Amino acid sequence: MTREEIIESVSEKMRLIRTEAGYTQDKMAEVIGLSKKTLVQIEKGRLYAGWSTVVAVCALFRETETVRFLFGNEPLEVLETVARDGMDYRKEKTMGGKVWWRELEKKNGFILQQNIISQHFRIIDEDHFRIYSSFEEKESKNRFKELTGE
């Protein structure tokens, strides 16, 4: 996923996210820091939300089914990976990838996974802490080899 694809996806689902959260247009605009007029334009497909608005929506409404489905249950991880052009440090503990993740390789206490929705890759350790995240398959496989001592 690219920044542009994320902006487009969230913009196209803005009305659904708002209604799922039970918010009026006035309340949603207030919460995410937009004018109601701008929100209406986004919901009608006449305008795309800006990156900061998309990040706010995904962070504040990350528990909605719509946002979870857009990003394979990991909206903040996807946004952080795109914004930072990948990540390579131990991060928060994950659920281990039982639902939204396909296990590609497992070796020496590390697991290489790919998200079935966003298609991004991550490496988690045996305690399910995220170590690495990227949209680049080759880089992810190389990092996995480094970590596993291949």
Side-chain angles (χ1 to χ4, degrees):
M1 281 184 137
T2 65
R3 190 178 287 226
E4 292 75 26
E5 290 170 332
I6 291 170
I7 288 170
E8 187 176 321
S9 297
V10 172
S11 295
E12 289 173 354
K13 299 291 186 189
M14 190 76 80
R15 176 177 287 161
L16 187 57
I17 294 166
R18 176 180 62 77
T19 56
E20 187 179 340
Y23 282 19
T24 64
Q25 287 177 327
D26 288 321
K27 181 66 175 174
M28 182 74 159
E30 177 187 327
V31 167
I32 61 176
L34 293 178
S35 69
K36 181 180 175 184
K37 180 180 177 182
T38 301
L39 178 61
V40 169
Q41 295 296 323
I42 294 168
E43 287 188 357
K44 288 185 175 183
R46 296 182 185 145
L47 184 67
Y48 283 138
W51 177 249
S52 58
T53 299
V54 167
V55 170
V57 168
C58 291
L60 296 170
F61 299 94
R62 66 186 172 276
E63 300 301 323
T64 64
E65 286 183 36
T66 302
V67 172
R68 285 179 174 263
F69 182 76
L70 282 174
F71 300 105
N73 202 43
E74 302 286 348
L76 300 182
E77 181 177 328
V78 172
L79 292 175
E80 193 172 9
T81 300
V82 169
R84 295 180 183 204
D85 197 25
M87 294 184 314
D88 195 3
Y89 57 91
R90 190 168 187 186
K91 193 74 172 136
E92 72 276 345
K93 188 168 182 154
T94 70
M95 299 289 285
K98 294 177 179 64
V99 177
W100 299 95
W101 296 89
R102 176 176 53 235
E103 186 175 302
L104 303 177
E105 294 184 57
K106 185 175 186 176
K107 187 173 184 180
N108 296 340
F110 294 98
I111 305 167
L112 175 62
Q113 300 175 321
Q114 184 176 25
N115 189 283
I116 61 173
I117 303 293
S118 69
Q119 298 297 303
H120 80 284
F121 299 88
R122 76 177 181 186
I123 299 169
I124 60 175
D125 65 15
E126 59 194 2
D127 296 321
H128 297 168
F129 280 91
R130 181 167 34 113
I131 304 295
Y132 178 87
S133 185
S134 174
F135 277 94
E136 301 298 323
E137 181 176 12
K138 186 176 180 181
E139 290 175 15
S140 299
K141 287 184 175 181
N142 286 340
R143 184 67 177 126
F144 184 76
K145 286 179 182 178
E146 290 172 7
L147 289 168
T148 58
E150 287 186 16

